[in-house]
Amino acid sequence: ILNVEQSPQSLHVQEGDSTNFTCSFPSSNFYALHWYRWETAKSPEALFVMTLNGDEKKKGRISATLNTKEGYSYLYIKGSQPEDSATYLCALSGGSYIPTFGRGTSLIVHP
Amino acid sequence: DADVTQTPRNRITKTGKRIMLECSQTKGHDRMYWYRQDPGLGLRLIYYSFDVKDINKGEISDGYSVSRQAQAKFSLSLESAIPNQTALYFCATSGSGTGNEETQYFGPGTRLLVL
């Protein structure tokens, strides 16, 4: 089982603020990194999957970058809105790895 | 209709009872997973199955068993429920390729309370 760490554990921002958080993982034998968004009382839903060093993905105001050599991914939210409030999970998958999730970053956006 | 369904959605049971949580999927995926979620601990993998004849223990399999009845069905059983198995349980599926095909699709969750 891989060690996938996310920081910070929780984050409170004001509406309109831009924010970012981190997913760290072992850099050796990397296959794929996934970001999921998990709203309260709902199920996790996929945001992005990244496989190559330097990958950048974007969906609306949310974007993500990947650095496989140093073992981290950043998720950015530009101009946070209350509807962005959720827990954001990252996960590693691929090869012989059991899919492994980090504990998530809980984002609360205050109006 | 939802691609991944779980039944029941909520369940209250007593210590020592045997219960089964069921998961069905219409995505045609080979891989299925059972997770539990506890506050502050994220998602922890209980069991996973990469095809109908493949069953593997995850991080926290003690006290649980599973059955892969068909490609589309994966059930989780608690043989003798105990209070610390009170949690939110998620079933998920994924394809068997790489990259985007490994994206997991989650069911709506089953909230279990063991008294």
Side-chain angles (χ1 to χ4, degrees), chain A residues 28-46:
Chain A
S28 58
N29 297 320
F30 173 84
Y31 282 87
L33 183 130
H34 305 253
W35 280 101
Y36 294 84
R37 170 191 165 90
W38 189 4
E39 293 181 73
T40 302
K42 295 186 178 181
S43 307
E45 292 186 348

Side-chain angles (χ1 to χ4, degrees), chain A residues 64-111:
Chain A
T65 61
L66 177 66
N67 183 325
T68 61
K69 295 183 178 180
E70 296 183 33
Y72 65 84
S73 175
Y74 292 142
L75 188 79
Y76 300 91
I77 302 178
K78 183 178 179 181
S80 302
Q81 299 297 309
E83 58 265 32
D84 295 328
S85 297
T87 295
Y88 292 84
L89 298 171
C90 70
L92 286 188
S93 69
S96 59
Y97 300 156
I98 298 171
T100 305
F101 283 82
R103 294 188 177 186
T105 292
S106 173
L107 174 66
I108 298 174
V109 182
H110 299 278

Side-chain angles (χ1 to χ4, degrees), chain B residues 98-113:
Chain B
T98 58
N100 198 43
E101 292 186 23
E102 293 175 303
T103 295
Q104 293 194 37
Y105 296 85
F106 288 83
T110 294
R111 191 168 296 279
L112 175 66
L113 174 61

